[in-house]
Amino acid sequence: MSYHRSYHRDAAHLRTSRRTSHRLLAIAVGAVLAVTAAVPAASAVPTTSAVPTASAVAASAAGETGTQAVVPFPRDARVLGAGKTGFLTFDESWQRAWTRYADGSVTQLGDTGASPSYASDAIARTSQYSVSLVDMTTDTTLVSANLDNDTTAFAGAVGSTLLLRSGNGISLRATTGGVETTRPVTGLPALSGRTALTVAGTSRHALLTYQTVSGGKLVWNWALIDLATAAVTEKRQIAVPADWDGEMALSGTHVAWVETGTGGAAVVVAKRGGGATQRFPITSHWNVSVGLVGGWVTYAQRDGFTETYKDPLFAMTARSLATPTTTRRLLDHMTSSAVAPDGALLARGGTVAGGEGLYRIVPGATATAAPVVTRVASTGEPTKVTLLDHNVPAVLDLDRTKSLAMAWRLSRTNVEATIRIRNTRTGETRTESVRPLRVPDETHARFTWRGELNWNGESDLWTGASAGPYTWEIVARPLNGIGPDMRASGSFTVARKPGAHDYDGDGSPDVLQRDAGGRLWIADSFRAPDATTLGQNPGLLVGTGWQVYDRIEAVGNAGGAAFGDLVARDRAGVLWLYQGTGNAKAPFATRVRVGSGWNAYRQLTGGSDLTGDGRADLVATDAAGALWLYKGTGSASAPFTAGKRIGTGGWGGYNQLTAVGNIAGGTAGDLVARDGAGVLWLYLGKGDGTFAPRTRIGAGWSAYGQLVGIGDADRDGRPDLYASASDGSDTAYLYRGTGNWTQPFRAPENVSAYSWTSDPAFNLFA
């Protein structure tokens, strides 16, 4: 059922109540809509759907001048009728209301039984058995009639006259000299129960549409009825579409409507009195509103504001009848319209500059001047897409919150939005396209960010978000083309603690590779949220000359900085500390000398807290097979205490010793050790720097070149083990930790490694 025709079918007469608005919006024409795109971050998206009312709302539109008092217009409502003193609306709940221009006071009329009387301040109130014309300026009844819906039915109202369907014809009922009289309309054919409705009127005429039979088919006609004589002065058969909603326009000189045929849809304007007819092609006949303002015809497709495609018919356009090639854009969109007693057209719609409301359209100063548009009521809502609020916090802790369902509430949802998260320190971004219409509540542009960014700008490679400053940006493009793209941005900070083997501070471990030329590379690893394997990105060059070292080992946060460190032993036995910086492009600070004599050890491994003091420690095996503990101090100048022997003999039988963190669910960090036969053994840490007796994990581990206690690579809260191929290629496997000492690792998973170097090798000379 169309909005235009539905008000003829009201049934219940409801008691009115009056509510007065205490606030008027007085604005200067041409001001800009006072809604900013950048809004403060909120801790949560508000649950209310109300749009903040702007303190000053623009009334900028074609030809507008002067100052206009603006009263509130009910949101989600359409205009049904317009008088000199106020206007009639109905909303999505079918509630009718009358609003006064003078003070914005509102009379609530209920959900049925209120329709306009054209060219007046009266409304028709209907019940099952009667209809009354009520003057809304005085709240008095002008005329009434009994209805039985068999012999007498309501057919519309113009001014102070009721049009009634009486038998096979139409009659006019009005009050003359204090006496209510009924006069039959002459000049109409017998209607024989077919549809007849009043669709427009002036102070002197009513425009009636009715059906007749032609060639065995029902056809539509219109007739002009002189209210003074009750006679039809002009009538015409029209070729309207089958789904025609009955809307027409009437002025003192013209009649306008929409037709469709073999030539397509067109707005048709006929000069009254049998004058010339003009046709203006349009893209569609559906849901089109037409109007007449002076020597101009207006037209627009209603409800384009909510569509998801573009059509020039969405804009309310005025076309000159004198020079048909001349057009003017009046509103960016419209939903409904009504004609005031003085012939002014009242259109519910909006402009990008002026926002949503009711606009009054009147003839220009001269016969050829474009119509003048003035806003007379405002909903307080913007027409252009506007960001209303969002839930991006000032600080996002990615250790506590693994993901954030970011939401941006927009004034309109028929948009395609692009969300971009950017690390302002590294320049790495995450971009996602979203359409709010695809989400359940249809009110927000939503994007669940799980801490992933595109690695070095590569769209198919991912990395974790490091701690530091970030910006978000949203660009919303209206799918219907109404208004410009909306752009808004803000900033936030990511907080997270670096993990084991995390040199760039993104919470995910990194792998160090050294090639035969002595170049050291850092390869970032990241398990993307939807991935089933660990991804390892191409290596970034750390520096050259690293062939001077025969051991390079990760030792965790040994120097007190926020990021993981490493130690490197030169061939003279001097141990050097390289503190992590958190920057993948320059991950290590200038080296600091730890001490000499470290060539006494065959194996070095570190990064696990073996003593329970919260600091990473280092262990080493000497030529005699003893195991030594170097407790971490957190000081860059002296990162380790003096060595303490914690194991005697037997440790020399291992060709690989790896600190793996607490993989077995015990009280402290653990070690795994591989013997010459390829058997891997687990040593559970006790928390005092010593270990429980070893437990056999399994055989066949000699297939791997290096075993790396990579930390929590799969982000499940448990440390994992990284195993590189023994052939020096970039083939690697991940053994995910279980937290169970009897079976500490799951089955191996391939690491998806991408390499830009030729045959890199991890710790080639270690």
Side-chain angles (χ1 to χ4, degrees):
M1 180 185 298
S2 75
Y3 284 111
H4 180 78
R5 297 177 65 184
S6 63
Y7 58 74
H8 294 292
R9 305 173 186 177
D10 296 334
H13 181 78
L14 300 178
R15 185 175 57 188
T16 64
S17 62
R18 182 160 296 176
R19 172 176 59 84
T20 302
S21 170
H22 299 289
R23 182 182 180 190
L24 293 180
L25 301 178
I27 57 110
V29 174
V32 178
L33 182 65
V35 178
T36 178
V39 297
S43 59
V45 176
T47 57
T48 178
S49 61
V51 180
T53 301
S55 59
V57 184
S60 174
E64 210 169 21
T65 59
T67 301
Q68 174 68 48
V70 179
V71 299
F73 191 91
R75 296 179 183 180
D76 301 321
R78 300 181 183 231
V79 62
L80 276 178
K84 292 181 180 179
T85 64
F87 52 88
L88 178 66
T89 60
F90 79 108
D91 61 22
E92 292 180 339
S93 300
W94 299 93
Q95 296 292 318
R96 268 71 165 172
W98 179 268
T99 302
R100 289 161 182 79
Y101 294 121
D103 58 5
S105 61
V106 177
T107 299
Q108 299 292 346
L109 301 171
D111 60 355
T112 57
S115 57
S117 181
Y118 297 110
S120 74
D121 283 276
I123 62 170
R125 301 305 310 271
T126 57
S127 68
Q128 185 176 359
Y129 300 110
S130 66
V131 58
S132 300
L133 274 185
V134 179
D135 187 338
M136 297 305 293
T137 61
T138 60
D139 200 22
T140 58
T141 299
L142 303 175
V143 65
S144 60
N146 293 326
L147 305 175
D148 60 18
N149 295 317
D150 289 326
T151 59
T152 304
F154 177 59
V158 176
S160 59
T161 301
L162 287 173
L163 282 84
L164 303 174
R165 177 70 179 274
S166 301
N168 290 332
I170 298 292
S171 61
L172 306 183
R173 186 168 180 81
T175 300
T176 305
V179 178
E180 293 188 1
T181 61
T182 302
R183 297 169 295 156
V185 173
T186 60
L188 286 174
L191 299 177
S192 302
R194 288 183 286 271
T195 302
L197 294 172
T198 307
V199 295
T202 67
S203 60
R204 297 178 56 188
H205 289 85
L207 182 62
L208 184 79
T209 60
Y210 61 96
Q211 291 179 308
T212 58
V213 177
S214 177
K217 297 181 179 180
L218 285 174
V219 295
W220 281 98
N221 307 261
W222 59 259
L224 278 178
I225 302 173
D226 189 313
L227 298 176
T229 65
V232 172
T233 61
E234 186 176 353
K235 58 186 176 182
R236 176 169 177 166
Q237 181 179 315
I238 52 179
V240 296
D243 54 356
W244 185 48
D245 61 10
E247 179 166 321
M248 296 183 65
L250 174 67
S251 71
T253 57
H254 292 83
V255 181
W257 65 96
V258 173
E259 285 190 354
T260 186
T262 56
V267 172
V268 181
V269 183
K271 190 170 184 180
R272 288 174 53 173
T277 297
Q278 300 181 72
R279 299 178 63 87
F280 306 112
I282 53 178
T283 57
S284 171
H285 72 271
W286 170 248
N287 212 21
V288 175
S289 177
V290 292
L292 291 165
V293 179
W296 299 69
V297 62
T298 68
Y299 49 88
Q301 189 173 66
R302 298 185 293 269
D303 302 323
F305 194 54
T306 59
E307 293 292 354
T308 56
Y309 62 92
K310 296 179 181 179
D311 194 318
L313 196 57
F314 292 161
M316 187 177 187
T317 301
R319 186 180 292 272
S320 171
L321 298 176
T323 55
T325 58
T326 301
T327 60
R328 293 290 186 272
R329 186 187 187 100
L330 302 180
L331 300 176
D332 291 321
H333 83 95
M334 61 93 68
T335 67
S336 51
S337 64
V339 179
D342 61 358
L345 183 63
L346 278 295
R348 165 64 179 96
T351 68
V352 168
E356 294 297 292
L358 186 66
Y359 288 81
R360 179 180 175 88
I361 304 169
V362 299
T366 66
T368 58
V372 177
V373 182
T374 306
R375 193 184 53 184
V376 295
S378 170
T379 69
E381 299 165 297
T383 296
K384 63 183 179 181
V385 182
T386 304
L387 177 63
L388 303 179
D389 55 51
H390 65 85
N391 73 338
V392 182
V395 177
L396 174 59
D397 189 335
L398 286 177
D399 291 329
R400 297 177 57 189
T401 304
K402 301 300 183 183
S403 64
L404 174 64
M406 296 180 171
W408 292 262
R409 188 162 67 95
L410 306 178
S411 61
R412 286 161 53 190
T413 58
N414 54 338
V415 302
E416 185 170 54
T418 299
I419 312 287
R420 188 177 75 153
I421 309 298
R422 183 175 183 272
N423 184 322
T424 58
R425 182 173 59 85
T426 67
E428 291 171 319
T429 62
R430 171 74 168 94
T431 303
E432 182 75 10
S433 293
V434 297
R435 290 181 65 173
L437 288 174
R438 292 177 178 171
V439 302
D441 62 5
E442 297 187 1
T443 59
H444 295 78
R446 295 186 182 274
F447 165 52
T448 298
W449 189 48
R450 292 171 286 187
E452 74 275 23
L453 299 170
N454 286 121
W455 180 83
N456 270 17
E458 298 290 331
S459 61
D460 56 350
L461 298 179
W462 300 97
T463 186
S466 61
Y470 283 75
T471 59
W472 59 260
E473 179 185 44
I474 179 171
V475 179
R477 177 179 63 85
L479 295 174
N480 59 7
I482 297 175
D485 291 354
M486 186 279 295
R487 295 179 180 272
S489 60
S491 61
F492 65 101
T493 299
V494 165
R496 76 181 326 157
K497 295 179 180 178
H501 271 263
D502 181 14
Y503 306 111
D504 55 10
D506 63 0
S508 296
D510 307 305
V511 177
L512 294 177
Q513 299 170 302
R514 184 177 60 182
D515 63 25
R519 294 177 297 176
L520 188 67
W521 305 82
I522 180 172
D524 176 68
S525 73
F526 182 71
R527 191 183 183 95
D530 297 322
T532 58
T533 60
L534 180 68
Q536 180 175 313
N537 294 316
L540 296 178
L541 182 64
V542 175
T544 60
W546 288 77
Q547 70 273 15
V548 300
Y549 301 116
D550 62 5
R551 297 293 306 189
I552 301 174
E553 294 295 335
V555 290
N557 182 5
F563 307 101
D565 308 325
L566 64 82
V567 294
R569 184 182 66 188
D570 64 25
R571 299 182 187 281
V574 177
L575 192 68
W576 301 87
L577 173 69
Y578 285 86
Q579 284 190 276
T581 65
N583 181 359
K585 296 179 180 179
F588 300 111
T590 304
R591 68 180 186 176
V592 175
R593 191 177 190 271
V594 175
S596 59
W598 287 81
N599 50 0
Y601 299 113
R602 292 184 174 180
Q603 301 283 343
L604 297 174
T605 188
S608 292
D609 177 15
L610 304 176
T611 60
D613 61 0
R615 299 190 182 95
D617 305 311
L618 178 69
V619 292
T621 60
D622 61 19
L627 183 67
W628 295 81
L629 169 67
Y630 288 85
K631 291 180 60 177
T633 66
S635 169
S637 59
F640 305 110
T641 62
K644 176 183 178 182
R645 190 168 61 182
I646 57 175
T648 59
W651 291 89
Y654 299 120
N655 57 29
Q656 177 81 58
L657 189 67
T658 305
V660 289
N662 186 355
I663 65 168
T667 59
D670 309 318
L671 295 178
V672 293
R674 183 181 64 189
D675 63 24
V679 176
L680 193 66
W681 301 88
L682 170 65
Y683 286 87
L684 278 83
K686 295 181 179 180
D688 59 359
T690 65
F691 302 95
R694 70 180 187 176
T695 301
R696 189 178 189 272
I697 294 176
W701 289 81
S702 56
Y704 301 118
Q706 293 290 331
L707 301 178
V708 182
I710 198 171
D712 186 10
D714 60 358
R715 297 185 295 173
D716 66 352
R718 293 186 290 267
D720 307 310
L721 182 67
Y722 178 101
S724 65
S726 59
D727 59 4
S729 68
D730 57 4
T731 302
Y733 300 89
L734 181 70
Y735 285 83
R736 298 169 62 194
T738 66
N740 181 357
W741 68 272
T742 61
Q743 190 175 358
F745 301 115
R746 293 187 175 95
E749 299 175 357
N750 284 88
V751 174
S752 300
Y754 302 88
S755 178
W756 290 339
T757 63
S758 58
D759 195 24
F762 178 78
N763 278 0
L764 183 62
F765 301 114

